[in-house]
């Protein structure tokens, strides 16, 4: 990889790396453009199959700015998936770079900027998270209505005052509710991680107005809004947040809940993405 495409080099323009990444994706997938991008978080790894056939798969390590997956259970593949018979294409990122990996915010939002450079107009950000509402059993999908970013950073550089009102598109949430009228919505609170919260921090999140606690998504959503992408966020509650139940938290529990919920989440995601493609 040539050094001028290194996201860690502060003199490199991240949009240039994203353009280079999009060019590799177009070349390797044979699709000059894509329409809807998806980022698959914990528990969502098996859900893209139901959207449609994978037409091409590229190892992320071959795409400028990307690396192999850092989280057990995540896939490094970036796939080009036909969205049912709509003629539209989904660009599916099998994993994400997390802020806690310490590679910097540019690396965290690189998939978002690559999606924009690849022609996408919509991005679906999924994640696995902890739930504050005891009624949300592990395996419950929840739409993100708004977020609280507790990372104390931003993907936006310079005096660029991006409006985050309606960051999580009401139009796309309505499409999701059309697929499953029973979907709840919540406010997603991003902590830095990689440790889970203390029970006191979970109570803080609740007092602040949070419903979901996780380690991703908010910085990506902000970068997506800056790029002009329409954003849908869906969380899979894989565990009750620390102190909400008396169970200890473990990544194994997260993976198990994801497995158990894969069919429901896959059907939801496939139907939502198909309707998004049809709405364009
Ligand atoms: I999966 O309970 C998953 N990711 N911060 N807290 C935070 N992140 C998470 C959690 C959780 N579960």
């Amino acid at each position: 990889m040539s050094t001028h495409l290194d996201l860690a080099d502060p003199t490199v323009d991240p949009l240039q790396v994203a353009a280079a990444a999009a060019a590799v994706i177009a070349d390797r997938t044979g699709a000059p453009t894509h329409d809807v991008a998806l980022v698959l978080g914990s528990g969502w790894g098996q859900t893209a199959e139901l959207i449609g056939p994978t037409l091409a798969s590229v190892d992320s390590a071959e795409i400028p700015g990307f690396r192999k997956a850092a989280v057990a259970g995540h896939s490094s593949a970036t796939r080009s998936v036909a969205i049912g018979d709509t003629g539209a294409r989904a660009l599916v990122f099998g994993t994400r770079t997390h802020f806690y990996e310490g590679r910097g915010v540019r690396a965290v939002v690189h998939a978002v900027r690559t999606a924009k450079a690849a022609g996408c107009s919509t991005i679906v950000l999924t994640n696995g998270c902890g739930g504050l509402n005891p009624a949300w059993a592990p395996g419950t999908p929840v739409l993100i209505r708004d977020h609280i970013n507790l990372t104390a950073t931003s993907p936006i550089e310079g005096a660029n005052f991006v409006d985050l009102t309606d960051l999580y598109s009401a139009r796309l949430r309505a499409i999701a509710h059309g697929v499953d009228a029973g979907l709840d919505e919540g406010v997603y609170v991003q902590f830095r991680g990689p440790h889970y919260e203390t029970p006191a921090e979970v109570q803080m999140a609740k007092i602040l107005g949070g419903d979901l606690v996780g380690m991703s998504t908010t910085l990506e959503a902000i970068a997506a809004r800056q790029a002009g992408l329409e954003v849908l966020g869906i969380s899979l509650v894989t565990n009750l947040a620390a102190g909400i139940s008396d169970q200890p938290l473990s990544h194994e529990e997260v993976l198990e809940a994801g497995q158990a919920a894969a069919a429901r989440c896959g059907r939801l995601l496939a139907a939502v993405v198909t309707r998004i493609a049809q709405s364009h």
Side-chain angles (χ1 to χ4, degrees):
M1 186 57 50
S2 63
T3 50
H4 68 274
L5 290 176
D6 185 0
L7 278 177
D9 179 345
T11 67
V12 166
D13 177 0
L15 294 184
Q16 228 170 342
V17 188
V24 169
I25 289 168
D27 178 61
R28 301 288 173 84
T29 63
T33 62
H34 284 79
D35 304 288
V36 180
L38 289 92
V39 179
L40 302 183
S42 289
W44 293 88
Q46 315 306 317
T47 59
E49 275 70 24
L50 292 173
I51 294 172
T54 294
L55 302 178
S57 183
V58 188
D59 194 305
S60 296
E62 295 173 31
I63 308 174
F66 290 91
R67 301 248 187 105
K68 288 216 165 296
V71 181
H74 286 203
S75 156
S76 294
T78 295
R79 283 173 288 167
S80 180
V81 173
I83 305 177
D85 52 12
T86 64
R89 286 239 208 171
L91 183 60
V92 181
F93 296 97
T95 186
R96 58 159 51 89
T97 298
H98 291 86
F99 184 55
Y100 60 68
E101 292 173 51
R103 292 183 55 210
V105 182
R106 287 178 170 191
V108 171
V109 302
H110 183 53
V112 173
R113 290 177 174 154
T114 298
K116 175 67 179 180
C120 295
S121 54
T122 307
I123 191 161
V124 181
L125 300 171
T126 68
N127 62 54
C129 72
L132 273 61
N133 181 345
W136 293 336
T140 304
V142 177
L143 294 179
I144 300 177
R145 174 166 53 80
D146 203 345
H147 81 217
I148 296 173
N149 168 16
L150 294 185
T151 65
T153 191
S154 171
I156 300 173
E157 300 174 30
N160 227 323
F161 307 111
V162 174
D163 180 14
L164 300 182
T165 313
D166 295 326
L167 175 54
Y168 297 90
S169 165
R171 186 185 82 89
L172 297 182
R173 282 184 281 134
I175 286 177
H177 280 133
V179 171
D180 181 347
L183 275 176
D184 279 335
E185 297 192 350
V187 173
Y188 179 92
V189 183
Q190 180 176 359
F191 285 82
R192 181 190 180 281
H195 52 274
Y196 296 117
E197 295 71 34
T198 64
E201 288 164 343
V202 169
Q203 287 309 306
M204 177 187 78
K206 187 174 174 180
I207 290 165
L208 295 179
D211 303 294
L212 306 158
V213 288
M215 305 178 192
S216 70
T217 304
T218 74
L219 300 171
E220 292 151 74
I222 294 166
R225 166 51 58 96
Q226 181 187 31
L229 292 165
E230 202 174 3
V231 180
L232 180 65
I234 318 179
S235 288
L236 172 64
V237 175
T238 58
N239 56 275
L240 289 176
I244 301 289
S245 90
D246 49 18
Q247 293 281 332
L249 273 57
S250 76
H251 188 57
E252 286 66 40
E253 170 196 24
V254 165
L255 295 176
E256 280 167 26
Q259 291 286 342
R264 178 178 177 199
C265 289
R267 282 195 301 274
L268 171 67
L269 201 61
V272 168
V273 170
T274 301
R275 290 194 190 189
I276 290 172
Q278 287 165 340
S279 77
H280 285 149

